[in-house]
Amino acid sequence: MSNTAWETLSNQAVGAAGIVYFLALVVYLAEWASLRQPAADRELVGAGAAADVPTVGEPASAGRTAFLGRLGILLTTIACAAHFVSLVGRGMAADPNRVPWGNMYEFTLSGTFVVALLYVVLYRRFALGWMGPLVVGFVVATLMVAVIWLYDGVAPLTEALNSPWLVIHVVSAVIATGAFTLGGITSVMYLVRMRAERRAAAAERPLSGWLQRVPKLDALDRLAYRVHAFAFPVWTFAVLITGPIWAHEAWSRYWNWDPKEVWAFITWVVYAGYLHARATAGWKGRKAALLALVGVATLWFNFIGINYFSTTSQHSYAAERVVP
């Protein structure tokens, strides 16, 4: 295949992945809708007529919900495979062939792929079915941003990127980014469920059907902590070890006070504070979840925002210029 054919395949695979991700999102939302108990039924339950009202756990509803859940993860897996093909196509379209991390479009494709892949891989291990619409919705939205605003044609790597450290640094950074994103989604759902439980308790009614499927607060808190505890050392390796080594090789300095370096360090400090506060000050629950959201906000601002809000960053590979 020619380079042009590979690039065309990559673009088509991105489009196919986006369509299948969107279909998966629709299925997940239908699954959530099947878990919602109608308002009239809730009123009857509150009036003591629970025995006469169909519930989420009845066989017909449970079977439909289980089918939609299986279909959703199947579509997500298919979309993830197409997503991977798009990355392979980008790498094979370059001359010479390279890893698909030459610009922000390719970085964003890689980051969203890792988010989806981690979800698929951890789906059974941590019973993440409840997270499906959130993960897929995030991936679809970010892919739209990448295709509409970040797209750049295949080109050879700039001199600074043409290094073996590219693979080591970017792989670790992307893995950590994917894991931190899943941790952020878990923290969001912690806050949503906590608020819903308080409102339900004040109204003396049960949680709505789809929220009953979300793990309890203690389980969400533990899951968020485990994901962040995994991602933090990987991010440390990317930001404080491989990044400075690569910077010294490319620019003869380990630290340049580059905006992207500074924000990567800010992200590291926020997550270090998150883990330290949990271990020493007993920060759990709401405080920890809010701090985790601050961390994921700095992470994605550093990942995409710096390239468009900074005019001095040597990491702004999305701009059409050659880094010296």
Side-chain angles (χ1 to χ4, degrees), residues 50-137:
D52 300 324
V53 178
T55 63
V56 172
E58 288 191 353
S61 178
R64 180 172 62 254
T65 300
F67 169 76
L68 291 171
R70 291 194 298 269
L71 180 58
I73 189 61
L74 175 62
L75 290 172
T76 304
T77 304
I78 293 172
C80 197
H83 203 155
F84 177 73
V85 171
S86 73
L87 290 172
V88 173
R90 289 289 295 192
M92 295 298 292
D95 188 16
N97 297 339
R98 58 171 175 79
V99 289
W101 304 319
N103 52 56
M104 274 308 304
Y105 172 71
E106 295 175 3
F107 290 157
T108 307
L109 284 187
S110 300
T112 50
F113 169 72
V114 170
V115 172
L117 180 64
L118 285 176
Y119 170 72
V120 170
V121 171
L122 301 177
Y123 174 80
R124 291 189 180 277
R125 174 67 178 83
F126 294 106
L128 298 181
W130 58 271
M131 195 186 285
L134 303 172
V135 171
V136 174

Side-chain angles (χ1 to χ4, degrees), residues 158-163 165 242-254 256 261 314-315 317 323-324:
T158 62
E159 183 180 350
L161 287 176
N162 193 15
S163 166
W165 288 103
T242 62
I245 293 174
W246 187 12
H248 185 268
E249 180 185 278
W251 302 311
S252 301
R253 294 181 63 183
Y254 289 104
N256 296 308
E261 294 175 350
Q314 290 179 293
H315 291 77
Y317 302 120
V323 179

Side-chain angles (χ1 to χ4, degrees), residues 247-300:
H248 185 268
E249 180 185 278
W251 302 311
S252 301
R253 294 181 63 183
Y254 289 104
W255 186 265
N256 296 308
W257 291 104
D258 182 274
K260 209 169 188 74
E261 294 175 350
V262 172
W263 273 94
F265 183 68
I266 290 173
T267 301
W268 183 89
V269 169
V270 172
Y271 282 119
Y274 169 88
L275 295 175
H276 179 72
R278 288 193 62 113
T280 60
W283 271 33
K284 294 183 179 181
R286 183 174 180 274
K287 290 182 179 179
L290 291 174
L291 190 54
L293 294 186
V294 173
V296 81
T298 63
L299 175 77
W300 278 93

